[in-house]
Amino acid sequence: FQKYVIFLLIAAIFGSNAWQINNAIASLTTNEIDQALEKNIRFQELSGKLTEKSSSLTDINSIVTSTTSDLKSLRSEKASLADQLNILQYLTEQNESQMHSIESQIANKNNEIKIRETQLETIEKEIVNMKSILKEYARVLYNESEKSTLEMLLESETFAEAITKIRDIELVEGEGEKVFTRIHNLYDQIGREKQQIAADTNKLEMLKKETIRKQNEIALTLAARQTLLKLTENNEKRFQMLLEMAKERQQLLSQTVADLTSRLALERQDIVEKLKEQAEKAKQLGQSTIMLWPLDPSEGITAYFDDPGYKSYFGVNHGAIDIRVPQGTPIQAPEYGYVYSVYQNGFDYAYILLAHADDTFTLYGHVSEVLAKEGDMVSQGQIIGKTGGMPGTIGAGLMTTGPHLHFEVHKNGQKINPLTVLPEIK
């Protein structure tokens, strides 16, 4: 083996808890090289599994879940440009696979709707036929019912003939009742078929929207790759230099937030009082005083509070949780608050800092779009921005491996685990 061996191994999707293998360069031993090659083969196997699953699974989210579970077993020691680029490549391939799966579901759903519409036409034709039969039964019954039993006996030549007429009328009545019941059941069936067609049509529209979202994500990922190459000039040393700068800014941000949280009570007592008043008012009105999730956490947490994997990968502590969500997901204020600080500067790490009652602050990182400005008072549930985190996109910074929301909670000047104040994920 040559002294400089480079292998590319992606080991992360949708969040900064993902693990990656660093470029192996310089003084690698033969054993280390063999291990690296073995892990690269493992990645190729996982890529094959993703392709197989995308063609057979009907649940879109299960593809993400299964591949994430597989890739978590692959870990790295530090971030590298090669890993970042491979993450983007993998995200592109994954989105394409999921999009093909969705397109297959759309085709199947279209076929199901056509089959049900054909069944509906058949039922409606049968109802028309049944109505015609019922009309004939009604005509016979009407003509005969005008006569009394005595009249039928007098008109009949024999008693047996009269009995036969009476039995025929009873038979017509019985068959007419069956036809009426059949029509009633057919109308019930039509109702069910129409409800199912409406549900299928709604699912179809959702799938079509998902396809458009996946197409947008693919385009965004490809653009992010080009941006990352431009920012780093496709040079590992430049990437590491920028990453070190990002670490310094992250540490400076932590100190800045600590300073801000300690200064609010001193410099803006009016804001502190307003936050307290609003919290008390909400309590008196019986409104929820529980901090809500800033967005839907159903896709999972990719990095936990003080996650050792994050520190291993980026070299800094992780005083937050990372919530996996698609790029551009709306962020809502978890409770009434004051937009204390906002920072956004091109591709640099962007954040929003909210102040709440009881000396509580929340911070939202890797923001791709800010929809609230400093000095705003925001209500619980109000949209304040949109998520980012895709490497090489606006507001993401370099300390990220995929789309997610970085969420911090500060209490009495200290970072605390957000999961201790948020509702349990069901």
Side-chain angles (χ1 to χ4, degrees):
F1 295 97
Q2 296 180 353
K3 184 177 180 181
Y4 292 92
V5 177
I6 300 177
F7 66 90
L8 304 178
L9 176 64
I10 172 177
I13 57 177
F14 291 112
S16 53
N17 190 38
W19 307 88
Q20 304 167 301
I21 301 298
N22 183 39
N23 280 354
I25 58 176
S27 56
L28 285 180
T29 65
T30 301
N31 183 49
E32 288 172 333
I33 293 171
D34 289 340
Q35 290 177 354
L37 292 174
E38 181 180 351
K39 290 182 178 180
N40 191 40
I41 292 171
R42 170 64 174 153
F43 164 67
Q44 296 298 332
E45 291 175 351
L46 295 179
S47 296
K49 287 175 67 177
L50 172 62
T51 303
E52 293 174 2
K53 289 174 182 176
S54 65
S55 62
S56 60
L57 293 178
T58 56
D59 185 352
I60 300 168
N61 291 330
S62 67
I63 303 173
V64 178
T65 303
S66 60
T67 51
T68 304
S69 177
D70 286 338
L71 288 170
K72 277 187 176 180
S73 62
L74 301 173
R75 300 190 174 187
S76 66
E77 295 180 356
K78 60 178 294 188
S80 73
L81 175 60
D83 288 332
Q84 292 281 328
L85 294 174
N86 275 281
I87 289 168
L88 293 172
Q89 178 64 26
Y90 188 84
L91 289 174
T92 301
E93 293 174 355
Q94 186 195 52
N95 283 332
E96 287 175 344
S97 296
Q98 292 182 26
M99 190 177 70
H100 293 325
S101 174
I102 296 167
E103 288 173 343
S104 176
Q105 293 180 58
I106 289 174
N108 291 336
K109 193 59 65 178
N110 271 322
N111 288 334
E112 289 176 12
I113 290 174
K114 288 179 181 179
I115 290 171
R116 290 192 180 279
E117 287 176 342
T118 301
Q119 291 174 339
L120 203 56
E121 290 176 4
T122 302
I123 295 170
E124 288 173 342
K125 288 179 181 179
E126 186 176 355
I127 286 178
V128 171
N129 185 46
M130 290 292 103
K131 282 183 175 180
S132 177
I133 295 173
L134 188 61
K135 185 177 180 180
E136 181 62 22
Y137 282 161
R139 186 188 64 78
V140 173
L141 284 173
Y142 177 78
N143 291 335
E144 295 298 333
S145 62
E146 294 297 315
K147 301 177 182 179
S148 65
T149 305
L150 178 59
E151 288 177 316
M152 283 188 283
L153 286 172
L154 294 174
E155 288 180 357
S156 302
E157 296 182 0
T158 65
F159 182 75
E161 183 181 345
I163 294 300
T164 300
K165 285 184 178 182
I166 294 172
R167 286 178 176 174
D168 287 344
I169 292 173
E170 292 176 347
L171 180 62
V172 169
E173 287 178 341
E175 291 301 317
E177 186 177 346
K178 290 179 182 178
V179 172
F180 180 81
T181 301
R182 173 63 177 162
I183 291 174
H184 179 75
N185 292 338
L186 287 173
Y187 272 120
D188 285 346
Q189 189 175 351
I190 281 180
R192 290 193 298 271
E193 290 293 334
K194 286 184 176 180
Q195 285 181 348
Q196 190 59 54
I197 288 174
D200 287 346
T201 302
N202 184 56
K203 178 67 180 295
L204 187 61
E205 290 304 312
M206 291 175 60
L207 290 171
K208 288 178 179 178
K209 289 180 181 179
E210 184 69 12
T211 302
I212 294 172
R213 187 171 75 84
K214 287 298 175 186
Q215 289 173 337
N216 292 337
E217 285 186 359
I218 291 169
L220 178 63
T221 309
L222 293 174
R225 178 183 174 85
Q226 293 302 316
T227 302
L228 188 59
L229 286 169
K230 184 177 180 180
L231 287 172
T232 61
E233 299 176 357
N234 199 19
N235 182 282
E236 179 64 33
K237 288 184 178 179
R238 179 171 173 78
F239 174 82
Q240 292 299 329
M241 179 186 72
L242 292 173
L243 188 61
E244 284 301 317
M245 291 173 61
K247 290 178 185 177
E248 292 175 3
R249 285 197 295 273
Q250 191 77 12
Q251 292 167 348
L252 178 61
L253 170 62
S254 294
Q255 185 58 50
T256 300
V257 171
D259 292 342
L260 286 172
T261 56
S262 62
R263 283 163 42 192
L264 180 63
L266 298 174
E267 300 178 0
R268 296 302 306 271
Q269 191 60 35
D270 57 324
I271 296 298
V272 174
E273 290 301 322
K274 191 169 185 177
L275 292 171
K276 287 181 179 179
E277 288 174 8
Q278 182 63 30
E280 185 62 30
K281 182 179 179 181
K283 187 176 180 180
Q284 291 176 355
L285 293 174
Q287 297 174 352
S288 174
T289 56
I290 300 174
M291 183 176 288
L292 302 178
W293 281 87
L295 38 70
D296 182 5
S298 60
E299 289 195 29
I301 307 299
T302 58
Y304 288 87
F305 189 80
D306 283 344
D307 197 311
Y310 187 94
K311 185 173 183 180
S312 172
Y313 186 66
F314 287 114
V316 294
N317 290 325
H318 191 242
I321 58 172
D322 288 346
I323 310 167
R324 186 205 336 271
V325 286
Q327 187 91 355
T329 300
I331 305 167
Q332 66 176 2
E335 61 183 19
Y336 185 85
Y338 172 70
V339 183
Y340 194 21
S341 179
V342 171
Y343 177 78
Q344 191 171 43
N345 183 21
F347 299 101
D348 198 6
Y349 178 83
Y351 70 87
I352 301 171
L353 178 65
L354 298 186
H356 309 282
D358 300 324
D359 198 22
T360 301
F361 295 79
T362 54
L363 184 140
Y364 314 82
H366 305 297
V367 178
S368 63
E369 185 177 355
V370 176
L371 300 177
K373 64 181 185 297
E374 289 186 6
D376 285 351
M377 301 299 294
V378 293
S379 58
Q380 187 179 58
Q382 183 175 331
I383 303 302
I384 59 173
K386 293 184 179 180
T387 63
M390 180 80 77
T393 59
I394 298 296
L398 284 180
M399 298 178 66
T400 179
T401 56
H404 68 280
L405 175 67
H406 175 95
F407 181 58
E408 297 180 9
V409 177
H410 299 247
K411 182 74 172 177
N412 299 321
Q414 300 293 325
K415 289 183 181 180
I416 65 171
N417 187 347
L419 295 180
T420 62
V421 293
L422 291 170
E424 184 178 350
I425 300 177
K426 296 181 180 179

